[in-house]
Amino acid sequence: MLTSKQRAKLRGMANTMDAIIRIGKEGITERVLRQIDEALTARELIKITLEKNCDKNPKEAIAYICEKLNAEPVQVIGRKIVIYRMSEENPRIQI
């Protein structure tokens, strides 16, 4: 569980990031979860965009993804969500 100061630091780091994953009309499939899992393993902090034709709202999506991948929700702004999961092998982000 992240504290508010840790979450604020991660939000600041994510501010300059581009979204690397886009979720469209097919929604959150196993393939998308696998991509998010790989991205979290490589980067620890990622930004995801939910396209307008995605049937899930952003708060539902971030809760579902974080539950499935054992990650922490950082931020939801509009249709963009930010997720963090500390790497067990090689942690890069010090919070």
Side-chain angles (χ1 to χ4, degrees):
M1 198 67 158
L2 295 173
T3 66
S4 61
K5 286 188 178 188
Q6 291 171 328
R7 190 170 275 116
K9 182 178 179 182
L10 292 171
R11 278 196 311 263
M13 293 172 71
N15 196 22
T16 59
M17 293 173 54
D18 292 326
I20 60 169
I21 295 177
R22 296 181 181 279
I23 300 174
K25 67 180 178 183
E26 293 182 13
I28 303 169
T29 61
E30 288 299 318
R31 192 177 107 232
V32 171
L33 284 173
R34 220 173 316 117
Q35 288 177 334
I36 294 170
D37 188 41
E38 290 170 4
L40 283 170
T41 301
R43 299 180 182 217
E44 293 183 312
L45 183 68
I46 62 169
K47 189 182 282 188
I48 301 169
T49 299
L50 297 174
E51 300 293 337
K52 290 181 182 176
N53 58 358
C54 181
D55 59 347
K56 285 201 182 273
N57 78 39
K59 291 188 182 204
E60 290 174 349
I62 196 170
Y64 180 77
I65 292 168
C66 288
E67 178 185 328
K68 288 287 187 182
L69 299 178
N70 195 25
E72 294 286 336
V74 175
Q75 181 177 24
V76 176
I77 293 184
R79 300 199 62 82
K80 295 193 186 301
I81 60 177
V82 179
I83 297 174
Y84 170 77
R85 182 177 70 193
M86 187 171 78
S87 174
E88 294 177 12
E89 298 171 6
N90 186 18
R92 296 182 190 169
I93 300 173
Q94 301 298 320
I95 55 171

